[in-house]
Amino acid sequence: PPPPPPSSAYVVYDDALEGGFEDWSWAKHTLSQSAVVHSGAAAISFAPVNWDGLYFHHSGVDTTGFGSIELYVNGGPGGGQDIILAVYDGQTLLGEVDIPQWLGHALRAGIWEHVVVPLSTLGVSGRPLRDLYVQDNSGSSTQATVYVDDVRLIP
């Protein structure tokens, strides 16, 4: 018989990168800021400008038994940023979602938004997860800082 589904989440970020993920980000960012936090002691902040993004690389997480990826995003003092969540396998885009469109509204100022996206929507259901991006989708040089916390694969 197939193995039983996981009983808990697979943590990508929770106060620090976990589970074998490495920070390959090219955006101006910090993985340990403590001023704006969803839970725990730290969260990620990054400047989503000029297509810059967070990029978390893994040698390949087995997604069998996981159904979605969840994260929390916060628009900081101004809100309104245009960002995407994307999954790549090396240079190959598997899938992406525009986070404000997914939420049904622009990122809100000072509010933590719970984002849950099925792995099938991101093209990674049943295959290894290697490259996870949270990236500017505007190309603008003027978007304000976005905060990200509690990134996990969930059953």
Side-chain angles (χ1 to χ4, degrees):
S7 60
S8 61
Y10 187 99
V11 175
V12 175
Y13 178 90
D14 181 11
D15 289 345
L17 282 176
E18 298 195 24
F21 278 89
E22 299 174 0
D23 181 16
W24 289 13
S25 304
W26 69 99
K28 180 180 174 185
H29 71 291
T30 180
L31 298 178
S32 60
Q33 69 79 33
S34 59
V36 180
V37 176
H38 176 258
S39 70
I44 303 164
S45 65
F46 86 104
V49 298
N50 298 320
W51 310 111
D52 288 349
L54 301 172
Y55 173 11
F56 304 134
H57 174 76
H58 193 282
S59 60
V61 175
D62 181 2
T63 61
T64 302
F66 292 104
S68 300
I69 187 162
E70 76 171 353
L71 65 151
Y72 289 81
V73 296
N74 184 316
Q81 300 92 331
D82 186 8
I83 59 175
I84 60 169
L85 174 66
V87 173
Y88 282 78
D89 189 355
Q91 299 296 315
T92 303
L93 175 65
L94 300 178
E96 70 180 31
V97 296
D98 181 293
I99 291 177
Q101 285 181 0
W102 191 260
L103 291 170
H105 55 79
L107 291 186
R108 295 180 177 144
I111 303 290
W112 284 102
E113 304 270 7
H114 187 206
V115 179
V116 179
V117 180
L119 293 177
S120 58
T121 299
L122 294 169
V124 73
S125 183
R127 66 184 295 166
L129 172 64
R130 291 191 174 87
D131 302 307
L132 181 65
Y133 292 64
V134 180
Q135 183 180 1
D136 170 52
N137 194 40
S138 71
S140 170
S141 62
T142 60
Q143 290 202 109
T145 299
V146 168
Y147 300 90
V148 178
D149 204 355
D150 301 321
V151 182
R152 309 182 300 178
L153 296 174
I154 53 175

